[in-house]
Amino acid sequence: MVICILILIRIREKEKRKSLLLIKSLCYTKFIGTQQGEHCAGSAFYFVGNCATAQSFLMCNRTFYGNEGVDMLKIKNYVRPESLEEAYKLNQKKSSCILGGMLWLKMGNRNVGTAIDLSGLGLNEITETEEEFQIGAMTPLRDLEIHKGLAKYTNGAMKESLRHIVGVQFRNRATVGGSIFGRYGFSDVLTMFLAMDIEVELYKRGRVSLEEFAAEKPDRDILVRLIVKKNPARMAYISQRNSSTDFPVLTCAVSIKEDGDVKVAVGACPFRAKLVEDKEKILKGFLNMQALEKEKAACDFALYAKEQVRTAGNMRASKEYRSLLVQVLVKRTLLKAGGENGN
């Protein structure tokens, strides 16, 4: 597939901003193997490498009609704010948009008045103290995946929740802020974090629990960072996929604290992840149970979760299949976190 892009770039030195007047992404299959197609592809690579000094460039002068191409993203102004206050003010307009890794945004068909890039505000770091982890909103998913402190604290569950997300190149660009603020139904990241003791820090609103934040609709505030409290717990994560790097069919994360508190999060059903509250106290004292008792408790709670979790069908799985998966994955994840083999 050859990708032909028409981009006009205007650089204003005084304001030190780049205004992307128009971005069009057009995908074609009919030019594969043709001289014109090879010329367009070669020009594309040349332009991408030299776009910083280009005033304007038309890679392919062919006129395209009908359904040969689809407009994907148009950005009028690009701004790299110097403070969160500046970013917040810019984001109050409905036409404005906070940029993360742009991996999902670029796939949409929308007009953006002002694209706000937070990459210059130092929000791409993970800070660990004795009491907590502070994860900046611009931190790439790959940094979470390879962070030794998070790996040790979560018993490897953090890495497990991330390693199937497309590929390493994708995870190097995708940000934790985009994954959490987007509240995507397919998000492995949201499922994993819901099972942990986490607060999100918003610029104006301050700190709120992730569970409360995830249940709300997106607003115009800015997600600054996530705060992970280091409460000792055993954790596990399991997902079901039709293929290794596809979107999940269902996700499940479990954390079991030493005081007996158990959190079970289920996502990709295909709605956004939610916690399954143990109102029946089925898992009370789960870590202190014998193997057979754990097995029974896990089976009982899995059946209870199946009744509580709302599922639906889509191109990846039917409603009935997902309901069965809820029962299977909840049981397996509980036993895995509790130190037993989940089968």
Side-chain angles (χ1 to χ4, degrees):
M1 180 179 289
V2 178
I3 299 178
C4 300
I5 308 171
L6 168 61
I7 303 179
L8 292 175
I9 296 181
R10 183 179 65 197
I11 301 177
R12 295 182 286 185
E13 295 293 340
K14 292 183 180 180
E15 297 181 8
K16 295 183 179 179
R17 295 178 180 178
K18 297 178 181 178
S19 293
L20 280 68
L21 300 181
L22 177 65
I23 295 181
K24 278 191 176 181
S25 225
L26 305 170
C27 300
Y28 305 93
T29 57
K30 65 169 57 180
F31 300 125
I32 294 176
T34 67
Q35 184 175 359
Q36 185 180 14
E38 292 173 0
H39 170 73
C40 291
S43 300
F45 284 110
Y46 173 81
F47 178 72
V48 169
N50 296 275
C51 62
T53 59
Q55 295 297 319
S56 64
F57 193 95
L58 181 60
M59 281 178 235
C60 180
N61 59 7
R62 183 183 187 278
T63 303
F64 301 103
Y65 300 98
N67 60 1
E68 291 180 337
V70 179
D71 289 353
M72 296 182 71
L73 178 65
K74 295 179 182 178
I75 298 177
K76 185 176 181 181
N77 294 300
Y78 166 88
V79 181
R80 216 177 162 199
E82 297 180 358
S83 67
L84 281 170
E85 179 64 24
E86 181 186 359
Y88 178 80
K89 289 179 179 179
L90 289 168
N91 196 43
Q92 296 317 294
K93 292 184 178 180
K94 290 185 178 181
S95 62
S96 298
C97 180
I98 300 289
L99 300 181
M102 281 195 70
L103 295 169
W104 303 123
L105 180 64
K106 69 182 181 181
M107 297 172 66
N109 184 11
R110 62 180 295 186
N111 295 317
V112 175
T114 302
I116 305 166
D117 184 358
L118 303 180
S119 61
L121 300 180
L123 301 178
N124 61 337
E125 298 179 351
I126 302 174
T127 304
E128 181 180 0
T129 67
E130 292 183 1
E131 294 81 23
E132 63 188 22
F133 295 94
Q134 292 193 4
I135 305 170
M138 293 296 289
T139 302
L141 298 184
R142 178 64 174 169
D143 287 5
L144 297 179
E145 183 183 3
I146 63 176
H147 193 276
K148 293 182 179 179
L150 284 170
K152 182 178 180 181
Y153 174 66
T154 63
N155 309 114
M158 181 62 70
K159 181 178 180 179
E160 178 61 27
S161 70
L162 297 167
R163 68 186 184 93
H164 293 292
I165 300 177
V166 185
V168 172
Q169 296 91 336
F170 186 95
R171 299 194 294 275
N172 279 332
R173 291 292 304 156
T175 62
V176 63
S179 300
I180 297 299
F181 197 89
R183 301 166 175 88
Y184 301 114
F186 56 79
S187 177
D188 295 90
V189 182
L190 182 58
T191 306
M192 181 65 223
F193 278 139
L194 271 176
M196 303 166 70
D197 282 338
I198 289 188
E199 292 180 327
V200 298
E201 182 182 330
L202 303 168
Y203 178 64
K204 283 296 182 183
R205 189 176 170 188
R207 291 190 179 190
V208 297
S209 70
L210 178 60
E211 182 180 3
E212 179 183 350
F213 178 77
E216 299 172 346
K217 294 181 179 180
D219 56 19
R220 309 307 298 181
D221 209 341
I222 295 177
L223 177 59
V224 179
R225 61 180 58 87
L226 280 73
I227 296 92
V228 182
K229 299 176 184 178
K230 281 186 174 181
N231 295 321
R234 298 187 186 183
M235 302 183 195
Y237 183 91
I238 298 177
S239 65
Q240 175 68 27
R241 285 167 154 82
N242 292 332
S243 61
S244 180
T245 57
D246 191 10
F247 289 121
V249 174
L250 198 87
T251 58
C252 183
V254 167
S255 69
I256 308 173
K257 293 183 183 177
E258 293 180 352
D259 62 7
D261 183 38
V262 180
K263 281 188 175 184
V264 178
V266 178
C269 49
F271 311 106
R272 71 178 66 168
K274 287 186 178 181
L275 290 173
V276 182
E277 187 178 352
D278 185 12
K279 295 180 180 180
E280 305 294 330
K281 305 298 180 184
I282 299 171
L283 300 175
K284 185 177 180 180
F286 187 75
L287 287 180
N288 297 323
M289 295 179 183
Q290 298 298 318
L292 291 178
E293 292 176 318
K294 282 184 180 179
E295 179 85 17
K296 184 180 184 305
C299 287
D300 291 345
F301 186 81
L303 184 59
Y304 170 78
K306 178 185 176 183
E307 297 171 352
Q308 297 298 313
V309 175
R310 180 169 65 104
T311 61
N314 61 10
M315 64 181 291
R316 289 180 175 81
S318 66
K319 171 180 168 56
E320 293 75 17
Y321 180 60
R322 277 197 169 94
S323 294
L324 288 172
L325 278 179
V326 171
Q327 183 176 356
V328 172
L329 292 195
V330 167
K331 175 191 172 183
R332 290 180 179 178
T333 314
L334 276 169
L335 292 176
K336 184 177 180 181
E340 306 294 334
N341 292 324
N343 297 312

